[in-house]
Amino acid sequence: METVLEMQNVCKTFYGDGVEIHANDNVNFSLKQGEIHALLGENGAGKSTLVNNLFRRPDSGTILLRGKEVELSNPIAALRHGLAIARQDLSKSLIERHTVAENILSISEGFFLSLSRIEREITSALNKYELGDIDPKTKIWKLSGGEKQRVEILKALITDPEIIILDEPTSMLTPPEIVNLFRLLNSLRSQGKSIIIITHHLEEAINYCDRITVMRHGEVVATLETEKEKNAWASEEEGIRHLATLMVGKEVLYELARKKMEPGKLTAEIQGLFATNDMGDTVVNGVSLQLKENQILGIAGISGNGQQELVEAMLHWRKVDSGKVLIHGKKIDDVSIVQDITGKSIREIRDLGIAYIPEDRRKALILDLSIRENLILNSYRKSGGLFIDQKSIVNVTEELISIFKIKTPSALSSVRSLSGGNRQKVVVARETTLAPPEGRKLILIAENPTFGLDVGTTQFVREELLRLREEGAAIMLISSDLTEVLALSDRIAVMYKGKIMGILNSQEATREKVGLMMGGSTLQEAIE
Amino acid sequence: MKIANYELIFQKRTFSITGFRAIAYRILFVIFGLMTVGFIFLLNGINPLDLFFLSNRSMLRIILILLPHTFVSFIPLLCIAIGLAIPFKARIDNIGAEGQFIMGMLAATWTAMEFPDLPSIVLIPLMFLNGFILGAIWALPVVFFRAKGGFQGADVVVSFLMVFPALYLMQYLVSGPWRDPATGFAFSKILPESAQIPGIPIEIYVPFLDATWNFDPVHISIFLVLIIALVTYYYLFRTEEGIPKTKIGYEINVTGKNPLAGRMAGISFFKVILISMIISGGLAGIAGVAEIAGNKLRLTVNSAGYGFTAIVVAYLGGLNPIGIIFSALFFAALISGGTAINLTGLPVSALDMFSGIILFYVLLSEFFFRYTIKWRRS
Ligand SMILES: Nc1ncnc2c1ncn2[C@@H]1O[C@H](COP(=O)(O)OP(=O)(O)O)[C@@H](O)[C@H]1O
Ligand SMILES: [Mg+2]
């Protein structure tokens, strides 16, 4: 089949944090007419950078469209050549304060624009592509993550391009929506369109894509023809393992050993919590949960369904509209002490032995201070009075650096000088060693703790969570990575639109059930 | 940034420049500043080398001859700049030290007029105490607007605006209620003897200058401010194995570098800004007391503008008390050397240009400390 798009020796370098990042290093890539081509790779492999090169000039390299060299120096030029993209970072590509139609208007051409015509076209395109009901007059910020993602996809399709590029379009879609999307892509393919899709879900690549290109560290590692490979693989699992090995460059995917453990005492309880987001919409909608010692409670859900606000409300970072967060203390005279922490200061809450690994690293790290100063952020005020106990702190931080294998020449180097994985190790080291008060066990809230980490550090962090669980900690693991939730949790609560759709224990939780519930099915519906 | 075929790349430094290299770079940038000033003088037909070093009336010579006078401005500059370094470190921009300084002067005058019969040993400490309190109070609105209001730049705006009520209050008082009926000018009465901080009665003949250093106008508050500098350094700035001595010192560092992470760990932004602004306003107030009770001895309608110059002093000193001692000396010398500029026929305001240009280079050096700059062919 004819090659419609070819990128030859494409290079793109970023300059950040004192290092040059060769995000694309002499990359060659080709797309054939009428194929779905998957682009795989770990976070940071350079996939987005590669496709973005079609909408701005790369540092060097040539781009050929149907054999002819073209210069695509901006998105409009690309559009005129029949290329369109749904970008990964929606916060950059959709304007939150504008409506759906206004956002799509921004890419329409011509001098006279009619908003109502565009609105009509959007509605009919949504129907045609079966992308669901979205009112073109809604402001973007009012949409859920999945709806935003569908708007972004529509934005790419509505210009009827020959070459469609989708950068992680499924990260916020529910499993049924994903199936729908691929059905749509299939029909576009049969109309002769060519599609590049970037995804983290290897099974999607294997099941729906004609060819697969794997990238690692800014280079292309391999391009496979799916049909051919399928003959060589014994099963889908083997295919996934093969692709994963290509992605990370070594045999990985070790099993996590989750020991069987009886749940311990109830240590924290959320009762009927309501909270609103920054825009004033209620996004935590009567959540009730229980945390027990020796247990990991997984909160599954597509990100943006209120998980973030739930945690913020628990830690008094966000106002609680109604409901309570209770911490159960040790028993005195057979009566257990219950403390209501709703409305207490963050400091009082944290001093009860509540550790927190936020998804947003800016909340956890002070990049311009030393590793040592970052490690003592919880413990510096342990000593009484006005002074810091410098001696003991020096010893403790040296120990943490060696136990957690933080790679650095010195405890006094800035955290900025560390790699992403080692930065996260600093957070994990600090938070998991937070000392709860006498008689209490640690409560740990971890939000997507392995997001964006390399395989080795991901494994390390997960093992650390399991070790804490064995030591008696109660852990609340909020993760949009279903595999992670399923592998680690003793119980899984699925969150959808601010509500808990149901709580499953690890035996009954299957990918399918949890997936359905993430899309809004109740526990009952999911079981049937 | 792209310029023709080249790309200019700013990169955040992973390893900050510290120690002697930092000092050397700062001095280098000051030299650049002096060269720029020199160039401007050149355009005005004045040979900068003569002006700075060579002639009989060069700034250098005048500065040396007037060395005791240098110490007179050194006292308030040092005290205010130390106070400023603390909120600056917490990334709170208190640019209104001038107002807090004026309030210190008012507190000194009021206290002295109210209790002229107290013995010096009681009265002078009381003046300092009141100066501290009034200076601190004048800094408080910054705390509330910055911590409780929604506007991030409130510190800059509010602290600056607070200068004017202080200035007008002073002008009102010296031309009205506190005016000395014995003079035709808007002056307050000379402070009673018991309220005057004694000077240092030393005279040294310096042969190579053929001049006598008369330290009489240098009052003994110089010891007070040096002690303040050292104490602040020891408790808030100095680190041992990378850790400050006090909790609040650490909290100031964290808040300055990433308030979000600080808040997440339970550090109260309000507390940090409250404490640092109280110290900052208080020290500016103390400087005002020292200025009135040691140097001017009476309130006039003008203030010397030390509160603004001290901002430059604090930055040139690298927001570190030890560095600030040297940068305060440098600026105090510039101020007394200003007489030399006067002699060239240029207006005294040329001196403001001097500190403005130095500030520009100091800020440039701060940028350079944080970023590396590279050229690359694109
Ligand atoms: N605008 C940018 N500035 C600096 N570095 C960037 C920028 N965009 C991407 N990078 C870096 O380039 C590398 C590749 O990023 P990206 O293409 O987004 O990866 P992927 O999409 O495969 O996850 C990463 O290390 C990322 O940090
Ligand atoms: Mg990407």
Side-chain angles (χ1 to χ4, degrees), chain A residues 15 365 372-373 380-381 383, chain B residues 241 247 250-251 265 376:
Chain A
Y15 299 85
L365 289 172
R372 175 167 292 148
E373 281 170 294
Y380 81 96
R381 54 180 138 86
S383 55
Chain B
E241 305 256 16
K247 293 177 182 176
Y250 174 71
E251 287 167 353
R376 192 172 66 102

Side-chain angles (χ1 to χ4, degrees), chain B residues 75-95:
Chain B
I75 295 171
L77 279 182
L78 175 63
C79 194
I80 301 173
I82 297 280
L84 287 179
I86 298 165
F88 285 174
K89 213 156 183 229
R91 281 285 159 82
I92 296 151
D93 292 320
N94 174 18
I95 61 167

Side-chain angles (χ1 to χ4, degrees), chain B residues 184-346:
Chain B
F185 301 104
F187 286 162
S188 75
K189 278 203 198 105
I190 296 267
L191 296 198
E193 201 109 329
S194 55
Q196 297 181 5
I197 302 170
I200 303 170
I202 300 177
E203 279 186 23
I204 302 172
Y205 176 73
V206 191
F208 76 94
L209 291 171
D210 189 22
T212 307
W213 280 347
N214 182 353
F215 283 94
D216 204 33
V218 184
H219 39 123
I220 55 173
S221 345
I222 197 167
F223 299 109
L224 176 71
V225 294
L226 283 173
I227 288 169
I228 288 173
L230 294 178
V231 167
T232 326
Y233 171 68
Y234 187 76
Y235 285 109
L236 294 181
F237 289 85
R238 197 183 68 110
T239 58
E240 202 172 288
E241 305 256 16
I243 305 167
K245 190 123 200 107
T246 55
K247 293 177 182 176
I248 183 71
Y250 174 71
E251 287 167 353
I252 287 172
N253 284 350
V254 171
T255 304
K257 300 288 190 195
N258 183 352
L260 191 64
R263 195 177 149 198
M264 235 26 271
I267 293 176
S268 155
F269 181 64
F270 180 76
K271 183 186 111 183
V272 170
I273 162 168
L274 180 70
I275 292 178
S276 51
M277 282 307 288
I278 284 182
I279 300 179
S280 184
L283 289 186
I286 284 188
V289 176
E291 175 72 0
I292 282 293
N295 184 31
K296 287 172 78 174
L297 301 182
R298 66 168 13 150
L299 211 54
T300 64
V301 279
N302 293 318
S303 121
Y306 291 129
F308 294 120
T309 312
I311 298 172
V312 197
V313 173
Y315 271 106
L316 181 62
L319 300 187
N320 181 314
I322 304 299
I324 290 173
I325 292 180
F326 290 99
S327 68
L329 260 180
F330 174 72
F331 270 91
L334 267 192
I335 290 172
S336 60
T339 329
I341 297 182
N342 218 0
L343 292 175
T344 63
L346 286 178

Side-chain angles (χ1 to χ4, degrees), chain A residues 48 88 167-168:
Chain A
S48 298
Q88 173 181 16
D167 193 350
E168 301 201 22

Side-chain angles (χ1 to χ4, degrees), chain A residues 14 21 23 42-49 88:
Chain A
F14 292 110
I21 300 164
E42 283 202 285
N43 280 319
K47 310 177 296 288
S48 298
T49 306
Q88 173 181 16

